[in-house]
Amino acid sequence: MMTDRRAAPLWIMAIILVMIVLNAAATLFAPILLAVVVGVVLSPMSDVMDKAGLPSGLSAFLTLLATLFLIVTILFLLEPVLTEAINRAPVIWTELRATIEMAQSTFRGLEEAGEQVAEALGEEHSEAGTQDTMPVPSVTDALLYAPGYAARIMIFIGTLYFFLLSRVSVYEWVQKLDIVLTATDMRAAEKQVARYFLTITIINASFGALVSAMLAIFGMPYAIVWGFFAALANFILYLGPPMFAVC
């Protein structure tokens, strides 16, 4: 019991040190951690290919290729809408503020509602007039940031491929460390995580489609984009929906 009490400060110091290191090396560890999580989610797809008799290297490569194709397809479909939304961000923000203020005004008097609509229209004209003077990132800025993002993408792709390729060996190595977890336990947890993510993805996609449909009915501009962000925010437990509602 005394040994456990003496070890407690060491554990606290170790946790603080690990957090400091992770924060300092977030550029490196963030894509690695994301790749491991995505690899766990994609493990059933790789298992199906392994059971079909494909080599492990080929199954990992095909799983990675399918994932990248899905990401590129989503970005390609959203690119025109996102580009126009970014270019018209001040106008969209003004329209959104006007819509929110009009919704809030229904709970107040008609006189106050009229004042808020007048203020919203005044802000819309003033911000629309200054839209052309907003600073736009130059090509030089894009070139400065490009190597950093390219490096993160390559780290993510490389980590994801090698995790899909050798995750069974990783589980067996962890089992040899004489801890409670075994390779069978980690494979079972892997399947549960993948099943949970698939279920929550279907739910969030349905929620995003419903949000887009309702916003389109009420005439909200860029309803598809708002529905997409609503689906993404819903992945954040407890905090995601309130954050999206506030934004």
Side-chain angles (χ1 to χ4, degrees):
M1 190 69 179
M2 294 297 296
T3 305
D4 296 338
R5 291 180 179 178
R6 292 177 180 176
L10 296 178
W11 278 106
I12 295 175
M13 293 177 60
I15 293 173
I16 295 175
L17 181 61
V18 169
M19 294 178 65
I20 293 175
V21 172
L22 290 177
N23 183 54
T27 304
L28 176 63
F29 287 114
I32 292 177
L33 181 60
L34 179 61
V36 172
V37 173
V38 174
V40 171
V41 172
L42 297 176
S43 58
M45 183 186 302
S46 184
D47 289 338
V48 170
M49 296 182 184
D50 291 337
K51 293 179 181 178
L54 296 178
S56 58
L58 181 59
S59 63
F61 177 75
L62 292 177
T63 303
L64 175 63
L65 192 63
T67 304
L68 296 178
F69 178 77
L70 178 62
I71 295 175
V72 172
T73 301
I74 294 175
L75 294 178
F76 178 78
L77 293 176
L78 292 176
E79 187 274 333
V81 181
L82 290 177
T83 301
E84 186 177 357
I86 293 173
N87 293 333
R88 297 190 58 196
V91 178
I92 295 175
W93 177 244
T94 302
E95 294 178 354
L96 180 61
R97 288 182 58 188
T99 304
I100 294 175
E101 291 176 0
M102 290 177 63
Q104 293 176 345
S105 66
T106 57
F107 298 98
R108 303 173 185 173
L110 293 176
E111 182 179 357
E112 186 177 359
E115 294 176 357
Q116 289 183 353
V117 171
E119 291 176 1
L121 291 176
E123 291 177 1
E124 180 177 356
H125 288 298
S126 62
E127 293 186 13
T130 60
Q131 179 181 359
D132 297 333
T133 61
M134 289 186 62
V136 178
S138 63
V139 178
T140 304
D141 296 333
L143 292 176
L144 290 176
Y145 285 107
Y149 286 105
R152 296 178 187 180
I153 293 173
M154 294 303 298
I155 292 173
F156 170 79
I157 294 175
T159 304
L160 178 58
Y161 173 76
F162 285 108
F163 179 78
L164 291 172
L165 178 64
S166 59
R167 72 182 195 282
V168 177
S169 301
V170 172
Y171 296 158
E172 293 176 351
W173 175 78
V174 173
Q175 182 178 355
K176 295 179 181 178
L177 297 178
D178 294 331
I179 59 178
V180 179
L181 290 176
T182 64
T184 304
D185 295 334
M186 285 183 283
R187 293 295 298 271
E190 182 183 73
K191 293 180 180 180
Q192 292 293 331
V193 171
R195 187 179 304 171
Y196 165 79
F197 186 82
L198 177 61
T199 303
I200 202 67
T201 299
I202 295 174
I203 295 174
N204 292 344
S206 302
F207 173 72
L210 182 61
V211 170
S212 298
M214 295 301 296
L215 292 179
I217 292 175
F218 285 104
M220 175 69 73
Y222 307 104
I224 297 178
V225 177
W226 288 113
F228 177 73
F229 285 129
L232 290 182
N234 213 34
F235 279 99
I236 305 175
L237 293 177
Y238 304 114
L239 298 178
M243 290 171 56
F244 178 78
V246 171
C247 294

